[in-house]
Amino acid sequence: MEKLSRSLLRQIQVPANVTVGPLNLGPEQVLQFGEGNFLRAFVGWLFQQLSLAGKFSGSIVVVQPIAQGMSAAINDQQGLYTLLLRGLEQGQLVEKREIVTNISRALNAYSQWAEVVAVAESEQLQYIVSNTTEAGIVLDEQDQLAMQPPQSYPAKLTALLYARYQKFQGAADKGLVIIPCELIENNGKTLRQIVLQLATNWQLPAEFITWLKEANTFVSTLVDRVVTGYPREEAATICERLGYQDDLLVAAELYHLWVIEGPETLAARLPFREIGLNIIWTADQRKYRERKVRILNGAHTTGIPVSYQYGLDTVKEMMDNPVTGNFVRQAIYQEILPALADSDREALDNLAAEVINRFNNPYIKHYLLSILLNSSSKYRARVLPSLLDYQQKYQKLPRRLVFALSCLLNVYSLGEIVAGKLTCKRDKTEFAMQDDLATLELFTAIWQEYQQGLPLEQVTAKLLGAVQVWGQDLNKVPHLTEAVSKFLIEIKALGVKAVLDNMQK
């Protein structure tokens, strides 16, 4: 089978159920740092929807931001790849296939830095997009302007913006829109702050710093789409049906959300909303982030330690099981949603229904064990605020969120630390619980005291009193220590499955 390319697409009959983007490339208006699955299945696809609707005529230059990556593979297919969007729509299984065609070329920042700089100096460039992982937006004091390239993404960006500033002699209309997609809060504001700090550290001209502030727009964003990546087990069959070889196949769910905290004038330049995409432009994204973190992420973090110890392995199994599925739905509708101060109940109900729909997606095999990673910090950020707000609002504890906390604490009692991980057993099967090492060491030490005879009530008090883990002493929450210790006593006597079965009865 011939490999996917522009010339091939002009020769073959593409299946009727496959959408194909424009084959003729427009001007290179987007510089994208990150060539991985997420950006190709999210940002690349979104810009293609604008192109298909006649609202955008540009193309994307992709930059491989680290030494090893996929730039060669992308160039080998002339920037083309097939995106599979799969999931449930109104209870029906849906699969959409689209050949994304808007990448003009891929550059390796480490072997082609001069070419990356040339793109930054281009008259046509308007946007810089990034997804360099959460650890990518950090200040590296070792970076220097003379490095080709600097190591960190913010330093690369600072160097490129300075080159552009020099090229156009500080012209006010030559600033860019910088759109980070890294999964950290206030990603745009954080990136802007680091870029300004680097400009100061490098003793760049004051006029450049003024141009950075006034001519460029850094927006903060919230992104949401589950991207499962290359469908290895199905790839051969899919390519056979498509009629070509595609080594860059990428699979994702149907759902997408992009919340962009930026000026309304930018919404007119990028009219995603006009063509029906789930894009929200806002002056303040905090309520949208809180909704996502508490409902989507919070439901995950609530259900996973319970369902994994119940004996299940994937999110789909969790939702299909009548006991655990009911537990998750009740946690969402009876405890998480009521705890929110958000007054838009219709929006909250719609989001909750969408979350449950996404959890039920049969195409996504999301393993509970992978979500169990770093659970203490996840519980603190995603679930604890709902627990505390519910208690404050109703003067009683949300029983399911408390049970989830008890099940999470129980995991730390199931094994010992080996090579920085907690090696545990579920039934007769071993699994590794990964978390912050200091948290693992603290919690396992407390549970060792239980093995030596310390009563569970005192064990619970020590676990909940770990301010360094929870950010506060949870023993001060009315009746929480008593409720958690009661659950832990039952779990140790009967097991998570029996306790949950009794709860649901």
Side-chain angles (χ1 to χ4, degrees):
M1 245 184 323
E2 196 170 341
K3 188 167 287 189
L4 178 62
S5 67
R6 294 178 194 276
S7 57
L8 178 66
L9 287 182
R10 291 186 174 100
Q11 297 170 21
I12 66 170
Q13 184 70 38
V14 177
N17 63 346
V18 179
T19 302
V20 182
L23 290 180
N24 295 321
L25 289 163
E28 294 177 337
Q29 295 181 353
V30 181
L31 183 61
Q32 176 179 299
F33 276 83
E35 81 285 19
N37 291 323
F38 179 79
L39 283 181
R40 289 190 292 114
F42 189 78
V43 171
W45 175 79
L46 287 168
F47 273 100
Q48 174 144 304
Q49 304 320 296
L50 286 181
S51 297
L52 290 169
K55 302 288 186 181
F56 184 74
S57 60
S59 62
I60 300 171
V61 179
V62 169
V63 178
Q64 176 184 307
I66 58 176
Q68 286 75 41
M70 301 174 62
S71 60
I74 290 172
N75 288 328
D76 194 38
Q77 291 190 184
Q78 298 179 340
L80 306 185
Y81 58 93
T82 309
L83 174 63
L84 312 175
L85 298 177
R86 308 189 287 189
L88 294 168
E89 277 188 353
Q90 298 178 341
Q92 300 297 313
L93 291 175
V94 173
E95 176 172 312
K96 300 178 181 179
R97 301 178 179 186
E98 185 166 336
I99 300 174
V100 182
T101 61
N102 54 16
I103 293 178
S104 62
R105 52 185 168 142
L107 300 174
N108 184 323
Y110 287 83
S111 60
Q112 298 172 292
W113 181 242
E115 293 176 57
V116 178
V117 173
V119 176
E121 294 176 340
S122 166
E123 181 95 32
Q124 299 165 330
L125 187 65
Q126 296 184 35
Y127 310 98
I128 296 182
V129 180
S130 67
N131 185 26
T132 53
T133 78
E134 297 91 311
I137 301 185
V138 294
L139 175 65
D140 187 339
E141 300 282 2
Q142 304 303 313
D143 276 320
Q144 299 296 326
L145 181 62
M147 298 168 69
Q148 296 190 14
Q151 189 66 27
S152 70
Y153 168 60
K156 290 184 180 74
L157 177 60
T158 307
L160 294 177
L161 290 173
Y162 187 54
R164 186 174 182 84
Y165 166 82
Q166 292 178 303
K167 170 75 173 181
F168 296 108
Q169 300 179 334
D173 64 342
K174 292 300 187 289
L176 300 174
V177 178
I178 292 90
I179 312 175
C181 298
E182 286 82 355
L183 297 176
I184 61 170
E185 194 168 353
N186 295 318
N187 48 20
K189 292 175 182 176
T190 302
L191 180 59
R192 181 179 185 271
Q193 182 180 8
I194 296 173
V195 167
L196 290 171
Q197 184 63 54
L198 285 166
T200 300
N201 292 355
W202 294 349
Q203 299 181 334
L204 299 179
E207 294 80 6
F208 168 62
I209 294 176
T210 300
W211 180 82
L212 272 178
K213 294 177 179 177
E214 297 180 358
N216 297 273
T217 302
F218 289 75
V219 300
S220 290
T221 71
L222 172 67
V223 298
D224 191 6
R225 166 171 270 176
V226 174
V227 177
T228 53
Y230 184 73
R232 192 169 305 279
E233 296 177 359
E234 310 168 74
T237 302
I238 292 170
C239 289
E240 189 68 36
R241 290 174 181 169
L242 291 170
Y244 54 80
Q245 180 63 34
D246 187 349
D247 295 334
L248 297 173
L249 275 169
V250 58
E253 66 175 339
L254 293 165
Y255 180 85
H256 70 279
L257 169 68
W258 203 3
V259 180
I260 305 175
E261 187 177 281
E264 192 66 27
T265 52
L266 186 54
R269 288 174 58 184
L270 294 172
F272 295 112
R273 291 182 307 194
E274 291 182 19
I275 60 173
L277 294 170
N278 192 22
I279 312 296
I280 298 171
W281 295 91
T282 179
D284 187 348
Q285 63 166 296
R286 284 178 295 182
K287 73 175 181 181
Y288 300 102
R289 177 171 292 278
E290 182 178 56
R291 288 174 184 175
K292 175 185 180 291
V293 168
R294 293 216 192 178
I295 301 174
L296 172 67
N297 304 122
H300 256 157
T301 303
T302 296
I304 269 59
V306 176
S307 301
Y308 189 75
Q309 290 176 87
Y310 197 87
L312 308 177
D313 292 307
T314 68
V315 171
K316 184 68 167 60
E317 289 177 8
M318 175 179 78
M319 299 309 293
D320 285 346
N321 184 282
V323 176
T324 55
N326 196 38
F327 173 82
V328 172
R329 292 180 180 88
Q330 288 175 341
I332 293 172
Y333 283 106
Q334 296 180 26
E335 298 180 355
I336 295 174
L337 292 189
L340 282 164
D342 197 323
S343 60
D344 192 344
R345 307 319 295 182
E346 182 179 358
L348 295 178
D349 286 342
N350 289 340
L351 180 56
E354 186 62 57
V355 164
I356 292 170
N357 188 54
R358 295 169 70 187
F359 285 0
N360 280 309
N361 188 343
Y363 291 110
I364 294 179
K365 204 166 188 177
H366 210 164
Y367 287 98
L368 303 180
L369 196 55
S370 67
I371 308 172
L372 200 60
L373 177 74
N374 297 322
S375 280
S376 61
S377 59
K378 287 178 179 176
Y379 191 95
R380 173 179 172 175
R382 301 172 173 184
V383 185
L384 186 57
S386 294
L387 186 154
L388 297 175
D389 287 350
Y390 186 98
Q391 195 282 329
Q392 185 71 26
K393 188 173 182 179
Y394 298 104
Q395 298 299 301
K396 63 179 182 178
L397 292 168
R399 195 157 181 255
R400 295 163 192 85
L401 304 188
V402 173
F403 182 64
L405 175 59
S406 307
C407 289
L408 173 59
L409 293 174
N410 185 61
V411 175
Y412 297 96
S413 74
L414 300 179
E416 58 183 14
I417 299 174
V418 178
K421 300 177 183 178
L422 187 65
T423 302
C424 307
K425 280 191 176 180
R426 184 186 69 174
D427 297 327
K428 296 181 180 179
T429 305
E430 278 196 354
F431 69 94
M433 167 68 165
Q434 292 180 257
D435 208 331
D436 172 68
L437 183 57
T439 298
L440 290 178
E441 290 174 342
L442 174 64
F443 283 173
T444 53
I446 293 172
W447 278 110
Q448 283 172 4
E449 293 186 58
Y450 167 70
Q451 298 297 335
Q452 296 164 4
L454 188 69
L456 262 175
E457 293 85 353
Q458 294 180 43
V459 170
T460 302
K462 287 192 172 190
L463 293 168
L464 296 183
V467 176
Q468 63 270 50
V469 177
W470 312 116
Q472 59 186 289
D473 183 354
L474 295 183
N475 291 296
K476 295 180 180 179
V477 179
H479 309 297
L480 182 60
T481 309
E482 177 188 351
V484 171
S485 65
K486 182 179 178 182
F487 274 135
L488 285 173
I489 290 169
E490 292 178 352
I491 288 169
K492 290 302 181 188
L494 305 172
V496 168
K497 186 178 188 302
V499 178
L500 182 59
D501 287 344
N502 290 336
M503 277 182 65
Q504 294 301 89
K505 290 176 184 176

